[in-house]
Amino acid sequence: MQKMAKQLLVTEEGLKKMEEEFEYLKTVKRKEITEIIGIAKAFGDLSENSEYDEAKNEQAKVESRITELEEQLKNVKVVDRSEIKTDEVNIGNIVKVLNLNLNKEISYSVVGSMEADPFNNKISDESPIGKVLMGAKKGDIVEYETLKGLFKLEILEISK
């Protein structure tokens, strides 16, 4: 019995990035690696050929990533911007919060796990902050635990 793959929620931007990476790996990167392997083979004895070994390792990584992206793209569901509500936090929302511990305002884009980029304030719905924000409404105070202790966020604004 085959297990059902988990549906991946992404924004249109996230889907576009996945498709671009998939196409790049299949068309450009595969060809580059094949050429490198051909050059490395020309060096002779493959048993002591580090260039060949490196190229084969890189090829395995690329093929693995292509397979992974292929599976993810089969199970992707794009979040329809027109269906995104602003009455409570969900994927596709931009949430402005006040960190009550630091007395600092921060805006987060809530995205699916495939698009998460915490350094650019794109947080996954499955991250610790994302989990507590999901379903919260303007004015709510949510809490999440970190290694530095308990943090409290007040929801100031929810937008698309």
Side-chain angles (χ1 to χ4, degrees):
M1 189 168 104
Q2 193 176 18
K3 71 174 187 174
M4 191 70 179
K6 181 182 170 206
Q7 193 170 52
L8 298 168
L9 295 174
V10 297
T11 61
E12 283 182 33
E13 177 188 346
L15 176 61
K16 187 174 183 234
K17 282 182 180 174
M18 287 173 71
E19 289 172 337
E20 285 171 357
E21 180 186 2
F22 183 65
E23 280 308 305
Y24 169 76
L25 291 174
K26 278 179 54 180
T27 57
V28 177
K29 196 66 179 170
R30 254 185 188 163
K31 189 175 180 181
E32 284 175 4
I33 293 171
T34 302
E35 288 171 9
I36 292 168
I37 289 172
I39 292 167
K41 278 183 178 178
F43 292 143
D45 185 5
L46 297 182
S47 65
E48 295 181 16
N49 188 329
S50 63
E51 289 86 359
Y52 178 79
D53 290 342
E54 266 182 50
K56 291 300 279 182
N57 285 339
E58 182 68 15
Q59 183 181 44
K61 285 181 196 170
V62 167
E63 292 303 323
S64 174
R65 181 65 179 148
I66 287 171
T67 302
E68 181 184 12
L69 281 168
E70 204 166 35
E71 283 305 306
Q72 290 170 344
L73 287 166
K74 285 179 189 173
N75 298 300
V76 85
K77 180 180 186 300
V78 177
V79 176
D80 185 344
R81 296 225 27 96
S82 67
E83 293 178 9
I84 296 172
K85 307 278 188 257
T86 56
D87 56 337
E88 65 180 40
V89 179
N90 213 318
I91 291 178
N93 285 132
I94 297 168
V95 186
K96 184 190 236 180
V97 298
L98 175 63
N99 183 316
L100 297 172
N101 300 60
L102 305 173
N103 197 27
K104 180 180 175 187
E105 284 186 15
I106 306 167
S107 288
Y108 293 111
S109 293
V110 182
V111 296
S113 58
M114 294 299 307
E115 296 175 77
D117 182 359
F119 297 108
N120 289 307
N121 289 353
K122 289 185 172 189
I123 58 166
S124 161
D125 60 322
E126 297 174 10
S127 70
I129 296 173
K131 282 180 182 175
V132 298
L133 287 176
M134 293 296 289
K137 295 175 175 19
K138 183 178 176 179
D140 285 358
I141 295 175
V142 296
E143 300 177 344
Y144 68 99
E145 190 75 40
T146 72
L147 297 173
K148 294 181 179 180
L150 186 68
F151 279 81
K152 294 182 181 187
L153 304 174
E154 180 181 352
I155 314 294
L156 300 177
E157 190 179 305
I158 304 168
S159 60
K160 290 186 186 188

